[in-house]
Amino acid sequence: MQQLKQALTRFIEQQDQYNEAYGLFQNHDMRPRVLPVQPEVDKRISLSPELQYFYSHYEMVDAQAEGTMKMKSAAVEIGDAALFFFAAPEHLHRQQLGFRWIGMQEPFEESDSWPPHHIVIANVNDDPIIVDAAAPASPVYAAFEGGEPQRVADSLADFFDALAILIESARSLGGEVKDEETYETKPEYLSEVQPKLEELLGEKQTVHLLEYLSM
């Protein structure tokens, strides 16, 4: 679990520096807890050891969701290219709707085709980030525009390390990752992040992650 702890520390450091630089996401971010807690998770959702550590040691802060029916989540920005929303553990059941559980209203039916150990922990534009909670190290998958989930990291630790790389490089470009006229990802951004991601994730998974982020 030490690798995940180190990755989350790097990620939080980059998230905080980015948000402070641009005045973003006050009380709508991910934060380490002062003391570990037992996360409130729907009993039908079985967390992996890595997800258990993540939710017990880190909090999804969302001041606007407090006291409302809104799903509580933490916002994580990758420059002007992508905005992640990480669901709080008490709302993981709602995050699975449309994937593991389907239907228009309660009681929702469990999908025959969605593996119950695939847990959607976040999304970008409603496209899911999925953790395989039954596999060692909790590998991470992403599904783009309704396609088949593709592996983007061999572990939850690698995934958060990848986010730290993407955020740090976005901050070095003033948060402007996309060309404002063509909306294509700037070549200087890709040339900076791609070698680092390939060293961490491998070439194939880097391609899948960048495709998911429309980079």
Side-chain angles (χ1 to χ4, degrees), residues 1-164:
M1 211 59 68
Q2 186 64 25
Q3 185 181 0
L4 177 57
K5 179 180 178 180
Q6 292 172 348
L8 282 163
T9 298
R10 285 189 287 268
F11 163 74
I12 292 294
E13 179 182 2
Q14 293 304 322
Q15 172 206 248
D16 290 351
Q17 289 182 21
Y18 184 90
N19 288 349
E20 183 178 353
Y22 304 112
L24 295 173
F25 307 125
Q26 301 294 321
N27 297 315
H28 189 19
D29 56 0
M30 196 182 300
R31 299 180 191 173
R33 298 182 186 274
V34 176
L35 294 173
V37 301
Q38 180 63 34
E40 299 178 22
V41 179
D42 188 291
K43 63 183 180 180
R44 294 168 292 181
I45 299 174
S46 298
L47 299 181
S48 65
E50 290 77 18
L51 284 176
Q52 179 71 29
Y53 177 88
F54 173 47
Y55 290 123
S56 63
H57 288 76
Y58 290 84
E59 180 182 9
M60 312 300 128
V61 176
D62 189 351
Q64 293 186 355
E66 295 292 342
T68 74
M69 297 297 292
K70 178 184 174 184
M71 184 165 66
K72 183 180 177 183
S73 64
V76 175
E77 184 171 280
I78 310 294
D80 56 0
L83 182 60
F84 287 82
F85 291 99
F86 284 83
E90 60 266 32
H91 289 155
L92 274 180
H93 173 263
R94 290 174 62 182
Q95 184 73 92
Q96 311 315 302
L97 299 182
F99 302 105
R100 180 177 173 181
W101 287 290
I102 55 177
M104 299 301 294
Q105 60 186 12
E106 294 186 1
F108 300 107
E109 296 182 5
E110 190 151 7
S111 171
D112 293 332
S113 59
W114 187 268
H117 55 273
H118 280 193
I119 302 174
V120 180
I121 65 166
N123 66 79
V124 174
N125 295 327
D126 294 326
D127 291 324
I129 291 290
I130 305 155
V131 168
D132 184 349
S138 296
V140 179
Y141 294 76
F144 181 64
E145 293 186 345
E148 286 295 316
Q150 302 291 336
R151 186 181 286 215
V152 297
D154 288 335
S155 68
L156 190 60
D158 284 352
F159 176 69
F160 279 109
D161 267 331
L163 291 187

